[in-house]
Amino acid sequence: MSKIICSAAIRGAHNIVDKAEQKYQEALDKWGPDHAVGFPNTAYYLPIIYGILGVPVSKLGDVRPVLEKCRSLLPPLVSEKVWLPYLAPTLEAGMATFFAEEIIEAIRYLEYPDFYTKQEDPIGGNIWLGAADDIILRKRGVEFVDGTAPGFAAILGAPPTKEIAAEIAKELQEKNLYVFMCAENNGVRMSEQLVEAGVQIGWPTRLVSFGSDYTATVFAMGFATRAAMSFGGIKPGDFRGNLLYNKNRIFAFAMPLGPVSDEWYANAAGAINWGFPVIADTPIPEILPTGICTYEHVVSNVPHSEIVQRAVEVRGLKVTVSKIDIPVSYGPAFEGERIRKDDLYLECGGGKTKAVELTVSRDMDEVEDGHVEMIGPDLDQIKDGSKLPFAMLIEVAGRQRQEDFEPILERQIHHLVNYAEGIMHIGQRAIMWLRVGKAAVEKGFRLKHLGTIMHAKYHQEFGAICDKVQVKIYTEEAKVDEVLALARKIYAARDKRVDRMTDETEETFYSCTLCQSFAPSHVCIITPERTGMCGAYNWLDGKASYEINPTGPNQPIVKGECIDPVLGKWKGTDEFIFKASRQKFQTASAYSLVHDPMTACGCFECIATILPLCNGVMIVNRDYLGMTPCGMKFTTLAGMVGGGEVTPGFLGVSKHYIASRKFLLAEGGLKRVVWMPQMLKKELEAKLKSRGEELGIPNLFDIIADDTKGATEEEILPFLEEVGHPALTMESIL
Amino acid sequence: MALEIPKVSYSGKIREIVLGKGDKAITVGGGTSYPFYLFEGQMPLKPRIAMEVYDSPPDDWAPTALEPFADVAGDPVAWAKKCIDTYGAEMIALQLVSTDPNGENRSAEEAAALTKKVAEAVDVPLIVWGCNNAEKDTEVLKKIAEDCAGRSLMIGPVTEANYKQVGAVAIGYEHTVIASTPIDINLAKQLNILLGNLGVPDGRILIDPTTGALGYGLEYGYSVMERIRMAALTQEDERLQFPMVCNLGKEVWKTKEAKQSRDEAPKLGDPAKRGVLMEAITAQLVLAAGADILIMRHPESIALIQDMLNDLLAA
Ligand code: SF4
């Protein structure tokens, strides 16, 4: 920790404890040790002292041991010559500061019973509210728990003008934060500035004018300490539990505005104990590395226009956007809407113009949250029936940069844009196609609003992985070309990365138990090379879904020791299956249809099964309604193998898995496949061909029989023999 | 040689939850075996029945259902008292149907004022059940929790859509939450995890697995309840070891069969008995599946179930 900060904080703490001792002595002389002392209407005594030390102060006499504790916590003043790691003693000095300040404030209640209004609002000329009583605590504390108010800003001092004060207050309010104000900067106080600026203050507007003095900081800290006791079940005296509760759940920070005095430093040091970082507008030394706080501890010299945004980032507060500010309706009801030629105002992509959409992750400082920019003509600058080149570049940043999630986020563009009334979106990447209807344009819809939508929805649905979102929309050919070139590079890198990812390279797989709602013992194990059988969840989806919803149906499975690389069995997956199937199954193979195949739920894209005569495997997809060589149609098969049961010889598979290198590895892989409906073959043509090349059987695609060759084993066998299908000479599948 | 009956070995126990406050407080849960399998474990605390009270006069009830309450139907306080004084109810469940935005749409303030009146008039544990519209329930249950601070109500249904808001007031004002999920063991478990993460103490969570009436999906609820119990007792699933509540009276009595007169359904037997038996059978089945608290309507079906419980639990 910075020596300057430490020495100043420790000096400040000494001053404050001295002052408390003096106040206590005076009060004792005047009222005697049995006189009641405390904050009004609370069961938490002096809450910081009670919460941290477990000491209930109710009489003046109870104060003495607390002051003694302060003395014992106070480190000696820092000398010029010696430099020790000062973090721990400084934090202790910060604690002593708060105990002492609570004592000072409690005695103030004795000396001047009407100094504070003791209510939610200012009364007449008195704007100082003082400690929140238990009724306010409950009512407001609930908002901290349910997230309607994620936390608070404890502001000391005041910005240079009342306009800036109003601006900062408004920005904090917009982030749903409470603003707890105290202390003066050169005789000016932010609460007073707000009143002058005509801003309504008090608990109802979340602009809480706690007190005129810096010692009123303890009302903010006491509020947090009580919240932990009352909502977190933390026992008085469990200081560790209390501080951690606050660090993890109350998104608060201290914001000193104006020159930082020794006493302010002491208060700041105290706040750091609670995990509340300090964001200052003056050039005080910074303390960046993390340790007590989640991220940085002290960040300084931040311009007023950026201070709220910076504070929110440093504290790791998630932005919530509750309303999507666009002039057309928005919701799933509009997803399937088509825009016909006659209603068309603008068309982009779809083979008519160049068009591309791209989501990329950036570093935190490269993205300005909420920034939406339109480069090129928007809808009000073009004629009805126009076509334009189009590029949408969405840049997201999170505290943890997760390039892995780019494709998942990008894939959402399709339905998120489609939700807007009067807008039609088809496809993705560089084959996207956008249509905007006349009615939407008449209502005031502009292309720029696509950015508004994406910003809001990424925050709403992917807040766990996106902290900042900015969107640029281009309709100028040259710019679109630039984005297109960038996109091509990124797509290539992404595809390569996914391609390189194998079940061997990743240590963690993901589960999916979504289908347990109708197939109680079903568990999908999703590996990089084996997607969920419905085809809707690949490994990255599993990972993202877990990050977004950690208690949801996709859980990480550390695969652990490999039991059998050919069957695809690991210790970790077996343990997971045992638990997640509620002890119904002990094991499952990821790559076999014969030996301990996975359970099947019912929503598999395809079913694979054995054709004994051909010594091979056939695959049929859900959309194929005809008869298959195993003697059953898809529907009959599905009725046989679903419901979360294991049926050796039958396996639910996704289309994607068919072209995987791990497809039925135990049975010999893709070479075993002797029949598929032609429609499925066509759909997978490119992938199957390239897998055939890889396997050294370049004509594999052509020698897999399909419904044009026959729908019984007897019909297709001659064809297989004629083309020399490898399955015929492989070892017996049974 | 004597026949040795194989026994299930249990590793879990249902949490004991205290409902209400003071002398009339009730504890439920505590089971260490499948329901009524007294040869395998214990069921130390008997399942309890809460009698329904409606917040507005019912207009479409079967005459049989209405008859016992005809004199109190417009007055929830009198209704609650009658349940206790005349029918010996050990718990009351206040059904706030009139808050439904698609119906009367009574305000949260009105609902809270009424709940407070009922809460003050009775000393038995009080369940408060919203209208099953997550948004409206949030508003209503928040206000009720606040206005009835410290009364230790059981409030629900708390769903994934509103668990944060309702959970938070339950913590702050010391009530018990009824965690409600649509017939799905994993969702039930997830909601309990979420409530725990939010800070709701484990001693203040009840599960509502969603109950259908006899002939109206009862079997789905039944098998999910069974699975919840299996997970809790034999698979150490700690987040499912909470007592279960079944809000069944409402479901049974809204069925066509419970309401039809002799003329409308001549083949379905005596309408005066029909609904009562349907309710009793539904109750009996959910008890066998593991219910700890039943919300029921008719005094006669309740009497039948009390009889059955006494028989089954007699040592
Ligand atoms: S089939 Fe799809 S949705 Fe169902 S469990 Fe598997 S991955 Fe999940």
Side-chain angles (χ1 to χ4, degrees), chain A residues 8-30:
Chain A
I10 293 172
R11 263 197 317 272
H14 275 270
N15 295 345
I16 294 166
V17 174
D18 289 349
K19 187 169 161 196
E21 279 175 341
Q22 187 202 332
K23 280 278 166 202
Y24 165 66
Q25 206 48 55
E26 287 170 18
L28 197 66
D29 293 346
K30 195 160 165 195

Side-chain angles (χ1 to χ4, degrees), chain A residues 140-393:
Chain A
R140 306 292 165 177
V142 162
E143 300 176 352
F144 285 75
V145 179
D146 73 18
T148 33
F152 62 82
I155 295 185
L156 288 92
T161 69
K162 63 176 195 280
E163 289 75 24
I164 299 178
E167 197 45 50
I168 291 178
K170 188 167 139 251
E171 260 191 83
L172 288 165
Q173 281 175 312
E174 280 167 2
K175 305 256 185 279
N176 302 322
L177 293 161
Y178 275 87
V179 184
F180 293 162
M181 296 170 285
C182 67
E184 56 165 327
N185 169 12
N186 225 341
V188 183
R189 298 176 178 88
M190 177 145 156
S191 309
E192 293 164 342
Q193 285 177 316
L194 292 179
V195 173
E196 272 173 47
V199 178
Q200 196 194 339
I201 60 171
W203 281 96
T205 55
R206 299 193 174 179
L207 302 172
V208 182
S209 40
F210 265 139
S212 52
D213 222 341
Y214 65 82
T215 45
T217 311
V218 289
F219 296 144
M221 301 308 294
F223 184 89
T225 310
R226 279 149 81 196
M229 289 188 276
S230 131
F231 293 95
I234 307 287
K235 297 275 167 292
D238 175 6
F239 64 91
R240 208 186 125 74
N242 202 307
L243 300 180
L244 276 178
Y245 181 91
N246 274 289
K247 173 184 170 176
N248 294 334
R249 295 188 185 234
I250 308 283
F251 287 91
F253 46 87
M255 189 185 281
L257 300 175
V260 179
S261 66
D262 290 352
E263 286 77 12
W264 284 23
Y265 273 122
N267 276 285
I272 291 174
N273 282 297
W274 271 252
F276 300 165
V278 178
I279 292 86
D281 64 347
T282 50
I284 60 174
E286 297 202 316
I287 303 176
L288 298 181
T290 61
I292 315 287
C293 299
T294 312
Y295 303 113
E296 297 83 1
H297 292 88
V298 179
V299 174
S300 67
N301 212 10
V302 183
H304 294 115
S305 58
E306 289 167 23
I307 200 160
V308 172
Q309 181 57 36
R310 192 79 184 97
V312 161
E313 276 168 39
V314 169
R315 186 61 185 94
L317 181 71
K318 295 288 176 191
V319 182
T320 52
V321 185
S322 49
K323 202 177 152 284
I324 304 173
D325 199 9
I326 52 172
V328 295
S329 305
Y330 188 85
F334 304 105
E335 195 182 359
E337 183 194 26
R338 316 288 297 182
I339 311 279
R340 269 174 275 277
K341 273 227 154 59
D342 304 339
D343 306 328
L344 194 61
Y345 191 90
L346 168 75
E347 186 165 30
C348 309
K352 311 222 166 45
T353 67
K354 288 177 192 162
V356 61
E357 59 198 21
L358 178 68
T359 300
V360 287
S361 50
R362 300 268 189 236
D363 286 332
M364 283 292 270
D365 54 2
E366 292 175 313
V367 178
E368 185 194 330
D369 187 48
H371 177 79
V372 177
E373 198 179 341
M374 181 73 216
I375 299 125
D378 204 333
L379 291 164
D380 47 356
Q381 292 143 12
I382 55 167
K383 282 206 314 283
D384 185 350
S386 304
K387 293 185 176 39
L388 282 177
F390 177 89
M392 175 154 68
L393 175 64

Side-chain angles (χ1 to χ4, degrees), chain A residues 326-327 345-348 372-382 386-393 417 420 422-424 432 434-437 440-441 444-454 471-476 480:
Chain A
I326 52 172
Y345 191 90
L346 168 75
E347 186 165 30
C348 309
V372 177
E373 198 179 341
M374 181 73 216
I375 299 125
D378 204 333
L379 291 164
D380 47 356
Q381 292 143 12
I382 55 167
S386 304
K387 293 185 176 39
L388 282 177
F390 177 89
M392 175 154 68
L393 175 64
V417 166
I423 317 296
M424 184 178 107
M432 60 150 305
L434 183 76
R435 280 182 160 190
V436 182
V441 180
F445 188 85
R446 300 292 172 263
L447 290 177
K448 203 172 168 181
H449 290 126
L450 294 174
T452 315
I453 294 173
M454 295 313 300
V471 186
K472 291 180 191 139
I473 292 167
Y474 304 88
T475 50
E476 271 169 18
V480 169

Side-chain angles (χ1 to χ4, degrees), chain B residues 158-188:
Chain B
V158 177
T159 65
E160 201 179 339
N162 64 12
Y163 80 93
K164 277 195 182 164
Q165 294 90 326
V166 184
V169 288
I171 304 172
Y173 298 101
E174 294 168 22
H175 302 293
T176 294
V177 296
I178 302 174
S180 183
T181 43
I183 321 192
D184 186 310
I185 184 172
N186 288 319
L187 292 180

